[in-house]
Amino acid sequence: MRRHLLATALLLGMTGMALAAAPLAFADAAEEARFHTLTAQLRCVQCQNQSLADSDALIAQDMRRQVLSLMQQGQSDAQIRQWLVQRYGQFVLYKPAVNASTIALWLIPAGLLLLAAGVAVPLVRRRQALLDHGPTTPSHGDDW
């Protein structure tokens, strides 16, 4: 009895994995092109630096299936993005909207760039001023 339960559980697990790996079925070439364009604009929540289209993670496969399902239900790209943001947060978007919760994502890089320029410009000017005055000559005949 125990062996039968184990074999059944193993068979069901393999069936689920086979269903998850099944290829996506598109209605036409336009739907496929829209799908690929949309998934290239979305980030895999596990891989973080890969688009949803490029990721091999299991969650990415699930997300791609959900995107296709929402497309086939007639939802627009904006509605699909909104659904994903509600479920996974702004992180799923490569270009998050500018709002109160994402303003730091937009301002921190600009602030760091300004800070680096604020440090670099005076250093370069000071070095240039030293070079413009030329080398100093010994005044006491200390040249050996």
Side-chain angles (χ1 to χ4, degrees):
M1 180 70 175
R2 194 176 218 177
R3 286 186 179 171
H4 292 294
L5 287 175
L6 182 60
T8 303
L10 184 61
L11 183 62
L12 287 174
M14 289 176 22
T15 304
M17 287 177 13
L19 288 174
L24 299 174
F26 299 101
D28 55 22
E31 181 180 72
E32 185 175 1
R34 177 180 169 215
F35 173 82
H36 289 297
T37 301
L38 183 59
T39 56
Q41 298 170 0
L42 300 168
R43 186 188 320 258
C44 174
V45 294
Q46 181 178 349
C47 303
Q48 298 183 3
N49 288 327
Q50 279 187 315
S51 72
L52 192 56
D54 296 333
S55 175
D56 291 329
L58 291 176
I59 193 166
Q61 292 175 9
D62 292 340
M63 291 172 72
R64 285 191 296 265
R65 290 190 189 294
Q66 188 62 45
V67 167
L68 182 59
S69 173
L70 293 171
M71 284 174 59
Q72 291 172 342
Q73 292 172 18
Q75 293 198 17
S76 69
D77 290 357
Q79 290 171 320
I80 294 170
R81 279 190 211 94
Q82 185 58 35
W83 185 88
L84 289 167
V85 167
Q86 286 175 348
R87 184 154 186 185
Y88 300 106
Q90 289 282 329
F91 179 78
V92 77
L93 301 176
Y94 270 117
K95 295 180 182 177
V98 178
N99 59 34
S101 64
T102 61
I103 194 72
L105 293 174
W106 295 99
L107 293 181
I108 288 175
L112 289 174
L113 185 62
L114 289 173
L115 180 65
V119 169
V121 168
L123 288 174
V124 169
R125 286 185 179 166
R126 188 175 321 138
R127 181 168 175 90
Q128 188 62 42
L130 288 173
L131 291 174
D132 287 344
H133 291 333
T136 58
T137 59
S139 59
H140 301 289
D142 290 335
D143 55 9
W144 304 358

